[in-house]
C-alpha cells in the first residue's frame, strides 16, 4: 500500500467530510482501511467542526520500507528493504516469480511474503531481477537471475553482520531458485516455497518420485 494511495484516501476523507457527517461509521471505515492496508498501528483522533475533519495520525511502531539500489553484476538492482529494530534479527530474501511472465517484487505474493517476514521481526529485502522494473539491464537467463540473487544475499548479510540466520522465500519460479540456492549457500537456515512452478524439471521429477507406489 503506497503513500500515494494513503494520500488519496485522506483526500477522500476530507472531500466527503460534509456528505458523511450524517452517515455514522463511513469516516471510521475509511480510516480503518488506511490502518489495515498499510499495516501500521496508529492512533487516530478525529473531530468535525463546520464540516471539516482534523486528523492526527501517530505512528506507534516503525514499519519502514526503504527503496534502495544494490550494485549488481550487470548494473543496478532495485530493491525494497526493511531493517528490524533488533540488531541480530534473522534475515530474509524474497524471490519473485518468472519475470518473463510479468512477476516482480511488488506483485501481491511477493509483497505478502515480505510483510510476513517483516511482521515477525526479520530484516527482509525483496528486489527485481535485472531488466525488471527499475533494475538495469535486460531480462536475464536462469544463470543471470541466480547471480542477482547471490548479490542480494551478500548485500543483506554484509549490512547485518550480527545476524547468523538467513531465510529465502520464493514464489513460482522463485521457489525453484530457492532450492538452487540451498545447494550453493550452506549458511541458509530456512526457506519457504509458495506455489512452485511445476513446469520446471526439478519439480516435475520430485512429483514423479513422490507419486511412485
Amino acid at each position: 500500500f503506497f503513500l500515494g494511495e494513503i494520500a488519496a484516501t485522506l483526500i477522500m476523507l476530507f472531500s466527503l467530510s460534509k456528505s458523511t457527517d450524517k452517515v455514522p461509521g463511513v469516516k471510521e471505515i475509511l480510516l480503518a482501511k488506511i490502518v489495515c492496508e498499510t499495516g501500521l498501528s496508529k492512533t487516530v483522533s478525529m473531530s468535525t467542526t463546520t464540516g471539516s475533519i482534523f486528523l492526527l495520525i501517530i505512528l506507534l511502531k516503525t514499519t519502514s520500507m526503504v527503496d534502495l539500489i544494490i550494485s549488481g553484476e550487470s548494473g543496478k538492482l532495485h530493491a525494497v528493504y526493511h531493517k528490524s529494530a533488533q540488531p541480530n534479527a534473522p534475515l530474509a530474501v524474497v524471490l519473485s516469480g518468472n519475470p518473463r511472465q510479468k512477476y516482480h517484487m511488488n506483485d501481491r505474493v511477493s509483497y505478502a511474503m515480505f510483510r510476513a517476514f517483516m511482521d515477525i521481526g526479520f530484516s527482509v529485502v525483496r528486489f527485481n531481477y535485472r531488466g525488471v522494473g527499475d533494475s538495469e539491464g535486460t531480462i536475464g537467463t536462469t544463470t543471470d537471475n541466480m547471480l542477482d540473487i547471490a548479490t542480494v544475499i551478500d548485500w543483506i548479510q554484509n549490512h547485518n553482520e550480527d545476524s547468523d540466520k538467513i531465510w529465502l522465500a520464493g514464489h513460482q519460479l522463485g521457489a525453484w531458485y530457492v532450492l538452487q540456492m540451498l545447494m550453493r549457500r550452506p549458511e541458509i537456515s530456512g526457506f519457504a516455497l509458495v506455489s512452485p512452478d511445476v513446469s520446471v524439471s526439478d519439480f516435475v521429477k520430485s512429483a514423479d518420485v513422490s507419486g511412485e507406489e
Side-chain angles (χ1 to χ4, degrees):
F1 197 75
F2 298 101
L3 291 177
E5 294 175 276
I6 298 173
T9 305
L10 289 174
I11 291 170
M12 184 188 303
L13 280 169
F14 280 95
S15 66
L16 292 177
S17 60
K18 292 183 179 180
S19 60
T20 59
D21 281 344
K22 297 181 180 180
V23 184
V26 172
K27 289 174 285 191
E28 288 79 2
I29 290 171
L30 289 172
L31 289 168
K33 171 184 173 67
I34 298 172
V35 173
C36 177
E37 297 198 23
T38 60
L40 297 173
S41 178
K42 299 181 178 73
T43 296
V44 181
S45 69
M46 179 172 61
S47 63
T48 303
T49 305
T50 62
S52 298
I53 299 175
F54 296 94
L55 300 174
L56 174 61
I57 300 178
I58 304 172
L59 302 185
L60 298 180
K61 66 178 182 178
T62 301
T63 55
S64 58
M65 299 182 194
V66 179
D67 269 50
L68 52 85
I69 296 296
I70 298 173
S71 295
E73 181 264 345
S74 70
K76 298 174 181 177
L77 298 175
H78 181 209
V80 174
Y81 174 57
H82 164 75
K83 184 171 180 63
S84 171
Q86 300 299 321
N88 62 343
L91 311 176
V93 178
V94 172
L95 309 180
S96 56
N98 191 339
R100 296 184 185 277
Q101 296 177 8
K102 308 303 182 184
Y103 290 102
H104 52 82
M105 70 171 178
N106 290 321
D107 63 48
R108 292 178 61 187
V109 177
S110 296
Y111 180 79
M113 292 191 294
F114 181 94
R115 280 307 307 254
F117 281 106
M118 180 175 159
D119 290 344
I120 59 175
F122 278 63
S123 291
V124 56
V125 63
R126 68 185 195 267
F127 71 99
N128 278 331
Y129 306 112
R130 66 185 69 190
V132 179
D134 292 331
S135 291
E136 294 181 342
T138 57
I139 293 179
T141 63
T142 293
T143 299
D144 294 331
N145 291 339
M146 295 287 288
L147 287 172
D148 292 344
I149 295 166
T151 296
V152 175
I153 291 174
D154 290 342
W155 181 89
I156 196 172
Q157 287 179 320
N158 291 337
H159 285 76
N160 295 273
E161 294 182 352
D162 292 332
S163 179
D164 61 355
K165 292 182 174 60
I166 182 166
W167 281 58
L168 298 185
H171 170 229
Q172 206 244 8
L173 184 60
W176 184 82
Y177 289 149
V178 168
L179 297 182
Q180 294 301 308
M181 295 308 296
L182 286 172
M183 295 185 287
R184 293 164 170 78
R185 304 293 292 248
E187 75 270 26
I188 294 172
S189 52
F191 65 94
L193 308 179
V194 178
S195 300
D197 184 353
V198 295
S199 67
V200 177
S201 60
D202 286 11
F203 287 124
V204 173
K205 291 176 183 176
S206 297
D208 290 343
V209 170
S210 64
E212 288 180 356
E213 302 252 329

